[in-house]
Amino acid sequence: MNRTIPNGKSHASSALPAAVAGLQQVPQLIPAHPTSAGGKALPPSKMKKPPADKDSEEYRQRRERNNLAVKKSRMRSKQKALDTQQRVNELKEENERLEAKIKLLSKELSVLKDLFLEHAHNLADNVQPPAGAGGSSPAPNSTSANGQ
Amino acid sequence: MNRTIPNGKSHASSALPAAVAGLQQVPQLIPAHPTSAGGKALPPSKMKKPPADKDSEEYRQRRERNNLAVKKSRMRSKQKALDTQQRVNELKEENERLEAKIKLLSKELSVLKDLFLEHAHNLADNVQPPAGAGGSSPAPNSTSANGQ
DNA sequence: GTTCATTGCGCAATAA
DNA sequence: CTTATTGCGCAATGAA
């Protein structure tokens, strides 16, 4: 007699489209309608669930739909992860760029500041009160005075 | 005539331990040892594969082990994704910090440069050629020229 | 209620 | 051989 139910999934390896020859039945003694079986009425709605009408036409269809959705969802998920990873790389690069720029600006600033200092010193050295008096013999000047 | 195969997974929802009443057998006519059966010896190793000795003790054990491994692997994977996402956030913050710093440095530079210009103008205005002629007009030089 | 999207889980193939 | 990964289907659940 028939056999072995292809296990449900059994997708041997890669291709398993309509390979399933005879698959069906399940010793499930399901009393059609658990709800309408005994003397119970079914007013609002509250039954467990007909587990799953296997081998049902509509069942198979829903499964297939879901399988598709699942595949789609997973693809997205994977892609998103990839994108995120790439984002990390981009941000890292950007960071390096920014740090380089900072380094450069800092250097420029430092140079300008040094110029200022030097100039200030020159002024102090060459200071010559417009009106005669006062100390007027400043040191010839000083070079390479660096403060910070 | 029993079939049933619990479908393999059938983990109805959350608990499905020994729910399966009569499940077993499989019309698998497997000759014990495919390798040692005929007149074939088993020197190196190269046989297809006894599909899967369902309901085998050792089988069940291997499955369980694998399920565990799978769970572990997936947990890691998920965690890694999370970490990556967080990395993105950290890098973004860092980026903002750096950009802010750049803005500040740029401002400082700009101020210093303006000071220079102003000073240069002052010099030019007060310039008083000590000895009559002589080119003494310093090139005003560039104003707020920032490359890059 | 239905449909699609997500998610945890087990299976099996295969990589390590 | 063992574990780690990966693709896949199932079912429960969430969201529209």
Side-chain angles (χ1 to χ4, degrees):
Chain A
M1 298 266 188
N2 75 52
R3 66 342 253 22
T4 91
I5 263 196
N7 197 357
K9 55 273 325 270
S10 95
H11 53 309
S13 59
S14 32
L16 68 155
V20 255
L23 57 143
Q24 61 308 112
Q25 83 335 113
V26 178
Q28 305 190 283
L29 314 253
I30 305 173
H33 278 184
T35 314
S36 60
K40 262 5 193 129
L42 52 164
S45 62
K46 219 70 177 161
M47 37 127 105
K48 255 14 190 236
K49 256 190 187 180
D53 302 33
K54 226 64 166 186
D55 65 272
S56 152
E57 163 75 44
E58 185 249 2
Y59 167 72
R60 214 46 251 171
Q61 213 163 323
R62 287 196 309 122
R63 284 307 325 140
E64 198 164 340
R65 265 170 141 50
N66 179 247
N67 290 341
L68 210 71
V70 167
K71 232 191 292 195
K72 194 160 136 197
S73 180
R74 283 172 179 158
M75 253 189 52
R76 272 198 201 152
S77 182
K78 224 167 285 183
Q79 185 59 51
K80 210 181 62 182
L82 253 167
D83 290 357
T84 302
Q85 181 58 56
Q86 178 152 355
R87 185 100 174 82
V88 166
N89 295 335
E90 291 173 359
L91 285 174
K92 270 173 157 179
E93 273 183 41
E94 174 93 350
N95 260 16
E96 281 177 32
R97 257 195 347 104
L98 295 180
E99 292 202 13
K101 185 157 186 177
I102 285 179
K103 197 169 218 164
L104 185 124
L105 289 179
S106 294
K107 188 126 191 170
E108 274 188 58
L109 254 186
S110 149
V111 167
L112 281 193
K113 283 184 179 172
D114 283 355
L115 277 185
F116 261 131
L117 282 186
E118 193 176 329
H119 194 250
H121 285 165
N122 284 347
L123 282 185
D125 292 347
N126 297 342
V127 82
Q128 29 166 285
S136 61
S137 66
N141 89 19
S142 70
T143 56
S144 80
N146 203 327
Q148 214 221 143
Chain B
M1 225 255 198
N2 60 53
R3 69 304 275 15
T4 94
I5 262 194
N7 197 358
K9 55 274 325 255
S10 94
H11 53 307
S13 57
S14 29
L16 67 153
V20 252
L23 58 141
Q24 58 309 109
Q25 81 341 105
V26 179
Q28 306 188 278
L29 316 248
I30 304 171
H33 279 182
T35 315
S36 60
K40 256 20 189 118
L42 50 165
S45 61
K46 219 69 179 169
M47 38 128 104
K48 253 20 195 241
K49 254 192 184 179
D53 302 34
K54 225 67 166 185
D55 64 273
S56 153
E57 163 76 45
E58 185 250 1
Y59 166 72
R60 213 47 249 171
Q61 214 162 324
R62 286 196 307 121
R63 283 306 324 141
E64 198 163 339
R65 267 169 141 51
N66 179 248
N67 289 342
L68 211 70
V70 167
K71 232 190 291 195
K72 194 160 136 197
S73 178
R74 282 173 180 159
M75 253 188 51
R76 272 197 203 154
S77 181
K78 226 167 281 185
Q79 185 59 50
K80 211 181 61 181
L82 261 172
D83 291 357
T84 302
Q85 181 57 56
Q86 179 153 355
R87 186 99 174 80
V88 166
N89 294 335
E90 292 173 0
L91 286 174
K92 268 174 157 178
E93 274 183 40
E94 176 93 350
N95 256 12
E96 281 177 32
R97 260 197 340 107
L98 296 181
E99 291 202 14
K101 185 159 187 175
I102 285 179
K103 197 168 219 165
L104 185 122
L105 289 180
S106 293
K107 188 125 192 170
E108 274 187 57
L109 255 185
S110 150
V111 167
L112 282 194
K113 284 185 179 172
D114 282 356
L115 277 186
F116 262 130
L117 282 187
E118 195 177 325
H119 194 250
H121 283 165
N122 286 345
L123 284 184
D125 290 349
N126 298 342
V127 83
Q128 24 165 293
S136 64
S137 61
N141 94 22
S142 68
T143 61
S144 74
N146 203 328
Q148 226 201 69

